[in-house]
Amino acid sequence: MKRAHRTHRFARPGALIPRRCARVALVAVVSLGALAGARAATAQAPSHSRSPSPEDSAQAIHLLNRATFGARPADIAAVLSEGRIAWLERQLQPDRIQDTAVTAIERRYPYTSVTPQELYRVLEPADGSKGPSPQTVLIQLASARLVRSAASERQLEQMMTDFWFNHFNVFFQKGADRYLVADYERSAIRPHVFGRFEDMLRATARHPAMLFYLDNWRSVHVDSGARRPLAQAQPKRMAAGLNENYARELMELHTLGVDGGYTQRDVVDVARAFTGWSFGPLNAKARSDDAGEFVFRAQLHDRGAKEVLGKELASGRGMEDGDDVLRLLAAHPATAHHIATKLVEYFVSDTPDPALADRLAAVFTKTGGDLRLVTRALFTDSAFYRAEHRRNKVKTPFHLVASTLRMTDAQFVDGRGAMQVLRAMGHVPYMSSDPTGYPATSEDWVNSGAMLARMNYGIDLASGKIAGIRPRSPESREAASATANLDGLTRALLPGVNTDALKRAVIADASSSANVALAPRQRAARAVGLVIGSPEFQRH
């Protein structure tokens, strides 16, 4: 029976970050890095033959709000200077963009760049000593993702990596995936975000992280001759038999969509097509040439005839059964529509515009699933820039934290505090247990507890209370004037937004009996925190 919908099983905001009645730490105001950036951008921006119109600015800000993790003043100036199309074309060729801000990631977070077998040996030392905990690995991976999202000049690549990882989600906490997730993102997702969809689909299908997560490594054709080699070829505790998990998610989530027209018979025959798709086991005695690598085990493959979506797969074949299924699904019209609709939901509106989705699906079909051209079509379509689509989505918690780091120029030292924040708000990278990944719609992230946690996060960040994140240290004179300089503060953090009501609320807070006695720097930090925690900053 095909499922009509799913129930999301991700962590909901539970424990909130403690909120203090009075913020007394004498720390720097984090937003002044953004204010300095605004002054620098103004000074460096080239002269225009004409000043940009309000609509030019609004469209530039909207593009940056959706195609990056934060519309900094310098970014807005760049888009207005070179034009939206030229900026987009540059972002669509990330290999041509010098990205010095993230070149040190592999040195700073070594677990992001090692092979699965190397990571296994780190976590499970052969001498029996105690290695680092999986939590240490998770913090490194999530920290690297945050650094890339906040600091990279290849912003569109980071946004698309976030989208496609969720589309092809795997769960860090499921057994062997703790050793495999880093390589999965590095080799199966990131290199393909502007390539052909079929290539990404094949890369994820063959990657051990997906094979393990959706149990395809367990899926075998069992007959009188397959049971004996099964015990030799696969890790212990493997159950012999056909497993439909990957086949079902491949069609329902990765390609055709829940209404894609497949049947239970298709699910069974797709599962049969992928029998024998496995990987070399990770253990202390594993051979280095196949440990944690894709392996096709021909002796475990169902060589009988199959039929998928009306296409016959002849008997007597091997791995080409699975390859043909991937090719068939990648080219199917339902896949084009499913992918297009998800892109519109993620980047445009929680209620996808069917006409826009149809246009993107047409580009997908015409170009053979060229994701660079599909992405270009998305961000150049006039429907994307409609006024009703601006600031109509709530940032996910990860997007909120990344955008705050990016727009305030805060110094990210380590991931301890960031992980606490993301865990409290239910959005630690790589930790969605559901094959759907983390949701993209605002309603999944908005409730009273979540909004309180977001407000507390803003105040804690500005007050220097989040471990591992250091606010920049401006001169005391500038910090003391931040409350008075609300115009500059809100322009830097909320470009293009009418912030009159927010500024009145910040001034009222500073004038309240509870806060009037605070030192200027304390009031400044509180002002910044209130702006970051405001509903205006939560939207993009």
Side-chain angles (χ1 to χ4, degrees), residues 66 143 374 456 502:
R66 298 298 169 81
S143 296
V374 173
N456 288 342
L502 175 59

Side-chain angles (χ1 to χ4, degrees), residues 205-466:
R206 292 189 180 188
H207 198 281
M210 182 65 74
L211 291 166
F212 187 86
Y213 174 57
L214 291 180
D215 303 312
N216 200 78
W217 68 284
R218 295 179 178 272
S219 188
V220 301
H221 176 57
V222 180
D223 58 22
S224 58
R227 292 183 182 274
R228 183 168 296 176
L230 173 64
Q232 300 169 357
Q234 294 287 14
K236 294 179 180 179
R237 297 182 298 169
M238 176 176 165
L242 189 69
N243 191 295
E244 299 176 7
N245 287 357
Y246 177 68
R248 189 177 303 280
E249 307 302 5
L250 172 65
M251 290 190 285
E252 179 180 330
L253 300 179
H254 299 170
T255 57
L256 304 175
V258 68
D259 298 317
Y262 61 90
T263 66
Q264 176 59 25
R265 176 181 174 181
D266 291 318
V267 172
V268 171
D269 277 10
V270 168
R272 293 174 59 213
F274 285 101
T275 49
W277 284 47
S278 188
F279 63 95
L282 293 163
N283 56 59
K285 298 180 180 180
R287 302 198 320 270
S288 59
D289 59 342
D290 71 357
E293 298 289 338
F294 173 76
V295 173
F296 176 68
R297 304 191 188 281
Q299 72 273 28
L300 306 182
H301 181 65
D302 184 337
R303 297 170 64 84
K306 308 166 188 71
E307 183 178 328
V308 177
L309 300 175
K311 178 179 174 59
E312 292 186 6
L313 302 177
S315 62
R317 306 199 316 162
M319 193 172 74
E320 60 266 36
D321 279 347
D323 285 333
D324 281 356
V325 167
L326 295 175
R327 191 174 299 111
L328 172 67
L329 294 176
H332 198 282
T335 296
H337 188 266
H338 178 58
I339 298 301
T341 301
K342 286 197 66 175
L343 284 166
V344 175
E345 179 185 67
Y346 190 92
F347 288 101
V348 184
S349 173
D350 290 351
T351 306
D353 177 354
L356 175 56
D358 287 345
R359 289 194 292 275
L360 293 187
V363 174
F364 187 102
T365 300
K366 181 179 179 180
T367 64
D370 187 321
L371 297 180
R372 193 187 316 274
L373 297 181
V374 173
T375 305
R376 177 187 291 132
L378 169 66
F379 289 110
T380 56
D381 196 290
S382 60
F384 172 80
Y385 293 96
R386 289 177 188 161
E388 64 265 29
H389 294 153
R390 299 171 191 172
R391 305 189 67 81
N392 69 339
K393 291 183 70 70
V394 173
K395 297 174 182 177
T396 68
F398 178 84
H399 191 151
L400 171 66
V401 174
S403 66
T404 305
L405 297 177
R406 178 171 176 79
M407 297 183 71
T408 63
D409 196 30
Q411 186 178 13
F412 190 83
V413 180
D414 61 59
R416 294 170 296 157
M419 291 309 101
Q420 178 189 359
V421 170
L422 291 171
R423 189 174 293 110
M425 292 192 282
H427 196 179
V428 176
Y430 316 110
M431 286 294 284
S432 172
S433 62
D434 196 281
T436 55
Y438 285 115
T441 56
S442 301
E443 67 177 0
D444 288 290
W445 298 110
V446 176
N447 58 61
S448 58
M451 297 311 291
L452 179 58
R454 288 168 181 244
M455 181 176 292
N456 288 342
Y457 160 70
I459 295 176
D460 280 346
L461 177 70
S463 301
K465 296 297 185 181
I466 298 180

Side-chain angles (χ1 to χ4, degrees), residues 139-156:
I139 290 176
Q140 277 208 17
L141 300 187
S143 296
R145 175 81 79 87
L146 270 175
V147 171
R148 284 184 180 275
S149 300
S152 175
E153 294 303 319
R154 302 172 180 179
Q155 280 289 294
L156 185 56

